[in-house]
């Protein structure tokens, strides 16, 4: 495949976070160029992205040159694409408010509400038909394309693509593990007195599922980081640890890693996602109420915050349109472009991806989307096998996997009863009474399918 | 194998319920005879059983003649046995009181406390070393014997035998499914106006694990019983159903089947164990407090009751010793003797047994002890494959399987932390706070291994 | 389901052997009645069957009454059928002559030529599109029907039905194991001096694939038949054994069981199919040339013989049409009607069937059609799990399974190269040079798909 | 782990080829140093290696400094080793002559005779007890060591280590794939006009078993090498291809790659071992007789040649002992030292290794030793999952896997009959008559276990 006539179909991107990061990284990579077909159900959002992308590509420091085009139909956007990137927001802010905040009525607090828990399940029910549609369109218009999904609930959305088109070449990507590598790097610096150049120098073996991901081996050079982390977690479990102490209070996305440390003490693996994600997979230990959340030093992400964040991004766009010198090209820290380079054969990559389980984790169900390392090479993603997950962690992970499988099957076979059974079995929901759980299921209209 | 010189080693039996039933059934089966070697850690209990067994075998109506011998060592009892029957009480009544009642301090009520839940897990921790020992003795003294286990926690104890001696020929047997067949027979009589001669005329396909067992196919002659049961469960879910209405109040072992009906409405499979067992595998829906239990029309089995029950049995023995005309030979309804007949090649049997999963239920973990039908023939137990369990039920069953695997691994590798993680993950325990669960674990001394 | 308004669609049956047997058995079973829709690509053959079936059903001794109707289209025949029986002859006698005899040019002799070997593979290539079509029609017209296939190559044809319609409820049935039970009964009579009333009193555990089927447990009452068979095979391996010595020479379908005895001495399992079938799965040990076949005391079934056999059946029909007193109702020894009774819930049956492997034989590939015992009950076929096949036998069986999987995949994906690779890997064909094998593949036009 | 006090136990090495190469590579690697404990059943051979190793380590260009010590007992050699390297010659030259040449009496020619075929199986029978012993010693003396096996039959020897000590951390290493990468590099240079700097720039995905290894993905930068190889194989299948044409005649280890090209045309995967190895796994297509071997342009490796080769090495040693300026430090092209570096955490490595199958190839048997890529990092070998092997190749590979499993089981359970059944099922042996195969088995004394 030529590396200068690449076609990328970008599905979604209206909310601009992920799209913008990719644009920067592409502009900074001289070995690739081509066209980005931008499709969003909101065509204006795609047009905005076209304007921004064009400005970025025209930036004097940009070494990678791309043509951005807003495309009105998904069919045309996908047509003969080499790569498809999916980063949609399934639903409105009103939907999201229902997902995240309504359950508070029953005492269920969610720090994100997009993966599991009542919000995650409701969002899954809504996303599955969308991803069935996208998968079927890919089958028709670009069956050989590599598909990178960034949308949550990651496991559910990616699994649905495979349900729609079993031969699809799709992976799910997420940066949560990178953050944990940064934490381990900071730990190594503090405890070993070394300087870690690059988070990638922290070698990790990844297992589990997206946002409930675990590291079962970690090393820096010839040093096993597990004994170190044991001491580190012990030391900081009560105060938390941050590179700059107290910074967690500045952003809803930050935390002090107390949840991660506590999970290590209990389960002896390094949980590898943000505390706000991890907490949602557990019974309400960390999410009992807003005070507990605060005590554990992480945040509930409100939808109000998300609305404001969106407005802020729009304002930033306006600024840039007025004055394009505001654009400063900087690498995003994401790996999308490295993955493209690897899939094109330009540079091998070993990183964590979400991929159907075909033996990479033998004690989790086959075909479920799991997150492990993979070796990515030209036109090839090969998961790296990791050891069996310890029984206690496997049990918690498996409960979510089977719940997610149940939700997918429920939507595909129109079986509301099955969806409800999965819902009441979620650990956050199982903490309220069965009767309340069923009421919540109905009041939130989790099913959404009869409309 | 000759059928008139059979040696059965009976391990346990001190509490006499199961032993006595077997004695009756053996006395009523003319095709078999031989010797029963009775071993109990309480030699006097074994001697009492010897006296009773001898009286029964000498009864004028007895057509099966057996020699009963109390044996002081397990080695001698097992030596060259053709069959081994294990029915021990792991621990004292004081242990049992701790298992069952102590958790009430934290609001956890258990209707039996011998399978899962805090009591079941504590009992498991105690039983595993005993079954390792028994398994190793069988390996040494009668490796070709067929072993029938009646002891709870059934899955854990049977699994441990296979850990001790992987080539063991062991099955676990339990009568709970039979009761459900009786219920279905009663239903058929009521709803179809037929007379069901024999519970075995109700054909059932069994899946799941012991005491959390499910029927996924049921028929009577050419009638599918599932649509019938749907109507039946709907009709009686609020009032309960019994052959003689109100009888559930007479015995702690009885119930009105309301839990079973409710589980059907939710999960669309026929739960096939007594309500008091089923309730313990679920979050505290049915076991919220004593009042709920009463509302659902089943009972908490107190240890006081068990103590009295034991005293009653002892008194009955005394009566019999004084006046052996009190002995009335009647079939027990158990299948032990039918299983012997089948394993000896005299009469084929299809019945439900607990056996390592080697594909009979493809969506549960391999090697876990599962309960399905099996075809029993001469020297052969072949599990009958059953369809995959629906995802919602599979998720609940699997949680207990992995928890039990974790407890076994914890004891065998002396990993208290793992035992604790399994404990807090039990659905009854997960309903209290993590902190309380850990306190309960310590206060109950679930671990018991450091003494 | 009512048992007196059953609709059976009979697909094929033009050659009349199997159809006639079923008609007799149905006439002798008073508990069932209904309609048989006869469909054959040769409508006249179906009409002949209609005439014969009607005569049989009208016979004064017939207690089971059935209406036979020749139906011109498969759609109409299948419409709302409760059962589908498939017994087609895939191809003409000319095809069969090519299958069986052409390979003799290269020194390959086949005793049947319909399962494996050059003839079996060529027949498979021809049958697969037919069974795809039948499977798709069943999906459309009677998706809930139970389907019984009698057509060879059994494993390939049944597997193809599942490829066409994964939810199909299909089994493959074959009487070869019954003959082996008769042999074991004869053995028991000779060696134990008993009288075996019924071949079903010989209990066998079945494993392997159709026509390369093995018994790994066998008993009569409480007697293990394996040590007996070891002595028996030793005694008769050179002379052969028949109930009436020398009878094997009378019919091409008979043998003296020498091949079976020889296989036992080598592999220590009881091969459970006719010698003429077994020989074809092995390298040319027993099929080196016609003389070897004669030495091993079985036969090559010529197509000439089959043509004459067909003419004989037609003549018999004519006789019957002229004089219906020629009809004598006698049970056929087949189990088709027992299977109907079991599937209708009237009487449980444990027998050997061909069914997708879902764990019943853990060391053979999943989903391949394997032959094991199954428990058949109302609307339910549940395979009985059997122990792993010993490695030496597993290796031979697996080679044929993967070869058959390859042929099916080759036809479905139009991959002639794959078909050729499977062909040259067949044990009978691997005995000639690679170059000759490829020439044979072309000269026989094994592929047949380009026409 | 410190990288300057490493202890390597080297088991075997008497024949000096592999040992010498490792010594060179260690001398050229400045980041590692420590002690090599040399153990060989011939202590003098170990002492010779000690002398050579010491000379090499003392070479002025040597940047890696190692102490070499001949150790008289395996226990002492293994004691607390960090790494164990096993490179033994199982048996004498007389044994090898029997393995390789005796079967010629029956028309079976072997080009190596150490992996499969009559020689490979006989060598396996001999090696299994040795590797059981080594595995048990490792369990006792250095259970945490990483073990690298270079001994053939690779799969059998490595599998036996896991049988002896299931927790062993052992891999098998072989350079045959590297040669195929060189071939692909040469191809790329010829067909693309590029210069390939390093064989590692040829990215390959590896599958299958040792010496019957296959490449199912190959690329150079962004170029898929499969279409290229298709043209290349077509072009050179008749003449062969070598970088220097005709060179294959100079050494018995060389070939013209005609077998590889022919296998590609038939099976559409790139066979990835020397032609002389590949030929032995197939029926006698390439090994019909010495003339065929010559036509296919590879060699039969005679034992005479091996004897002379050994003498030549001894003479070279003498030269070196007399005049140590003869030592020229050059990298060997082997990867042993890179593997040490990776396992020590110094530099990640992705390379092909032999490792128990735990899902890396889903359609080959679990636990069998398969060869795939693995990601090697600090104290970690994680196999990289590869796609299912196509059915035609899977069938051939699987036949050898099950045969090897059978041989191992035969030796461990002392079941000569099973060994014989595996023997007659080998493709080279299946080409002669069954009777001849059994005679060969006896005359070669394949079993060797009764002495």
């Amino acid at each position: 495949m030529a590396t200068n006539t690449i076609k990328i179909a970008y599905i979604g991107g209206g909310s601009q976070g992920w799209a913008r990061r990719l644009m920067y990284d592409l502009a900074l990579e001289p070995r690739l160029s081509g066209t980005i077909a931008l499709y969003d159900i909101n065509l204006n959002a795609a047009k905005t992205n076209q304007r921004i992308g064009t400005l970025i590509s025209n930036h004097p420091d940009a070494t990678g040159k791309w043509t951005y085009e807003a495309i009105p139909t998904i069919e045309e956007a996908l047509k003969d694409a080499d790569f498809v990137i999916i980063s949609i927001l399934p639903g409105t802010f009103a939907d999201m408010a229902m997902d995240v905040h309504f359950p508070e009525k029953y005492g269920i607090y969610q720090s994100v509400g997009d993966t599991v828990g009542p919000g995650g399940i409701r969002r899954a029910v809504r996303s599955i038909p969308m991803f069935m549609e996208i998968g079927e369109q890919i089958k028709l218009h670009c069956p050989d394309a590599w598909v990178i999904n960034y949308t949550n609930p990651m496991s559910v959305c990616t699994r649905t693509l495979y349900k729609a088109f079993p031969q699809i070449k799709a992976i799910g990507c997420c940066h949560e593990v990178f953050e944990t590598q940064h934490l381990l790097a900071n730990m190594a610096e503090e405890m070993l007195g070394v300087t870690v150049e690059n988070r990638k120098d922290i070698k990790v073996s990844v297992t589990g599922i997206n946002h409930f991901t675990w590291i079962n081996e970690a090393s820096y050079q010839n040093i096993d980081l597990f004994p170190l982390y044991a001491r580190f977690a012990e030391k900081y479990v009560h105060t938390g640890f941050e590179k700059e102490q107290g910074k967690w209070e500045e952003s809803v996305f930050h935390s002090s890693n107390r949840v991660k440390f506590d999970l290590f003490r209990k389960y002896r693996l390094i949980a590898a996602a943000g505390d706000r994600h991890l907490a949602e997979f557990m019974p309400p230990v960390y999410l009992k109420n807003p005070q507990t959340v605060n005590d554990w030093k992480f945040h509930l992400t409100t939808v109000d915050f998300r609305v404001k964040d969106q407005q802020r991004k729009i304002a930033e766009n306006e600024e840039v349109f007025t004055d394009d010198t505001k654009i400063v090209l900087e690498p995003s820290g994401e790996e999308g472009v490295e993955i493209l380079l690897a899939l094109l054969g330009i540079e091998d990559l070993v990183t964590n991806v979400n991929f159907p389980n075909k033996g990479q984790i033998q004690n989790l169900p086959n075909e479920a989307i799991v997150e492990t390392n993979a070796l990515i090479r030209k036109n090839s993603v090969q998961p790296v096998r990791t050891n069996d997950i310890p029984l206690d962690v496997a049990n918690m992970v498996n409960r979510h996997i089977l719940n997610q499988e149940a939700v997918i099957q429920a939507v595909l076979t129109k079986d509301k009863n099955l969806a409800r059974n999965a819902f009441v079995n979620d650990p956050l929901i199982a903490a309220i009474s069965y009767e309340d759980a069923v009421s919540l299921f109905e009041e939130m209209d989790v099913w959404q399918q009869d409309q």
Side-chain angles (χ1 to χ4, degrees), chain A:
Chain A
M1 190 195 296
T3 54
N4 61 350
T5 58
I6 296 162
K7 174 172 178 183
I8 299 173
Y10 199 109
I11 308 302
S15 66
Q16 296 171 16
W18 284 94
R20 192 87 70 86
R21 295 186 204 188
L22 182 74
M23 291 167 179
Y24 280 100
D25 290 339
L26 285 173
L28 291 167
E29 173 50 59
R31 288 170 290 183
L32 304 180
S33 58
T35 303
I36 316 277
L38 298 155
Y39 170 77
D40 194 283
I41 48 168
N42 174 354
L43 180 58
N44 282 333
K47 285 183 176 164
T48 303
N49 272 332
Q50 175 181 330
R51 283 178 70 188
I52 297 167
T54 305
L55 286 173
I56 290 172
S57 188
N58 290 339
H59 190 284
D61 299 345
T63 54
K65 294 301 182 186
W66 293 82
T67 307
Y68 289 86
E69 296 180 40
I71 306 285
T73 67
I74 191 169
E75 290 81 355
E76 203 187 331
L78 293 174
K79 184 82 190 138
D80 299 328
D82 301 306
F83 297 97
V84 179
I85 293 174
I86 310 175
S87 171
I88 68 173
L89 187 66
T92 62
F93 281 126
D95 285 321
M96 215 188 269
M98 177 58 90
D99 296 347
V100 179
H101 296 301
F102 188 86
E104 294 168 3
K105 176 180 166 188
Y106 286 89
I108 299 177
Y109 294 90
Q110 296 173 89
S111 28
V112 191
D114 70 348
T115 312
V116 292
I121 292 174
R122 190 171 181 275
R123 182 173 168 132
V125 170
R126 195 161 69 233
S127 304
I128 291 162
M130 301 177 191
F131 276 79
M132 282 301 288
E133 172 67 17
I134 295 173
E136 281 156 12
Q137 294 291 350
I138 288 170
K139 181 178 179 178
L140 289 174
H141 302 296
C142 54
D144 291 327
W146 277 96
V147 179
I148 303 174
N149 176 45
Y150 286 105
T151 315
N152 288 330
M154 172 62 80
S155 313
V156 167
C157 293
T158 310
R159 179 76 160 115
T160 303
L161 291 173
Y162 279 90
K163 291 270 185 188
F165 175 29
Q167 282 74 43
I168 203 169
K169 301 191 291 190
I171 57 178
C173 292
C174 176
H175 52 196
E176 296 286 325
V177 170
F178 309 165
E179 286 308 312
T180 310
Q181 286 174 299
H182 284 300
L183 173 63
L184 294 174
N186 293 338
M187 171 188 83
E189 295 186 339
E190 170 170 323
M191 299 188 75
L192 298 170
V194 298
T195 304
V196 179
E197 300 285 333
N198 191 321
R199 71 153 171 96
K200 294 186 180 179
D201 295 338
I202 303 295
K203 308 294 181 180
V204 294
S205 165
V206 174
T207 189
I209 55 174
N210 185 247
H211 291 170
F212 202 39
T213 321
W214 302 81
I215 289 171
N216 58 9
E217 298 178 1
S219 59
Y220 171 67
Q221 294 172 357
N222 68 335
I223 300 154
D224 181 357
L225 296 179
F226 263 68
L228 237 63
Y229 194 78
R231 297 210 308 277
F232 190 67
E234 211 57 52
K235 181 171 174 189
Y236 288 113
V237 68
H238 298 297
T239 60
F241 169 89
E242 297 163 274
K243 199 165 180 180
E244 301 170 49
Q245 211 63 21
K247 195 145 185 284
W248 73 273
E249 298 193 76
E250 292 174 19
S251 159
V252 295
F253 298 123
H254 290 174
S255 82
S256 75
N257 301 302
R258 284 195 65 204
V259 171
K260 255 190 289 299
F261 298 148
D262 192 55
L263 287 172
F264 183 83
R265 294 171 85 217
K266 290 172 178 165
Y267 296 103
R268 298 168 297 190
L269 292 185
I270 302 172
D275 285 13
R276 62 195 197 108
H277 284 301
L278 296 167
E280 294 188 334
F281 285 81
M282 304 293 297
V285 176
Y286 311 108
L287 284 168
K288 210 175 298 172
N289 53 49
Q291 184 55 47
T292 329
V293 175
N294 198 61
D295 292 347
W296 284 99
K297 299 190 176 177
F298 67 107
H299 302 275
L300 301 176
T301 323
T302 67
V303 174
D304 265 6
F305 166 82
R306 291 195 185 271
V307 171
K308 285 190 194 115
D309 194 48
Q310 176 74 350
Q311 286 162 347
R312 187 181 52 73
K313 281 185 197 142
I314 290 168
E316 279 175 21
N317 288 343
E318 288 309 315
E319 266 191 297
V320 158
F321 292 151
T322 322
D323 174 5
D324 63 13
T325 65
K326 298 267 182 187
I327 293 173
V328 184
L329 295 191
E330 271 182 0
S332 72
E334 303 295 337
E335 277 187 347
V337 172
E338 287 178 69
I339 289 172
L340 299 189
L341 287 169
L343 287 171
L344 287 163
I346 295 169
E347 222 166 282
D348 284 9
L349 181 65
V350 172
T351 193
N352 53 301
V353 300
N354 291 276
F355 202 72
N357 188 20
K358 293 176 178 297
Q360 57 266 44
I361 310 178
Q362 276 203 321
N363 69 339
L364 291 182
N366 249 11
E367 303 303 332
I369 302 296
V370 294
E371 188 161 338
T372 67
N373 282 339
L375 173 63
I376 309 184
R377 288 178 164 179
K378 179 174 167 41
N379 195 25
S380 169
V381 173
Q382 296 183 317
V384 170
R385 215 199 89 78
T386 178
N387 292 334
D388 281 3
I389 309 195
L391 283 164
D392 43 8
V393 178
N395 207 354
M396 299 189 300
V397 173
N398 206 51
R399 181 174 174 185
H400 287 289
I401 286 180
L402 292 185
N403 246 17
Q404 292 184 327
E405 291 287 305
V407 170
I408 295 168
Q409 186 181 307
V411 174
L412 297 186
T413 63
K414 301 189 189 307
D415 181 348
K416 181 179 175 181
N417 189 59
L418 179 58
R420 197 197 58 225
N421 289 345
F423 187 83
V424 302
N425 189 40
D426 182 275
L428 284 181
I429 303 167
I432 63 174
S433 77
Y434 183 82
E435 293 72 21
D436 281 358
V438 169
S439 298
L440 177 58
F441 181 81
E442 293 299 337
E443 292 178 23
M444 284 180 79
D445 188 19
V446 170
W447 188 236
Q448 298 159 274
Q449 302 287 321
D450 302 323
Q451 297 149 3

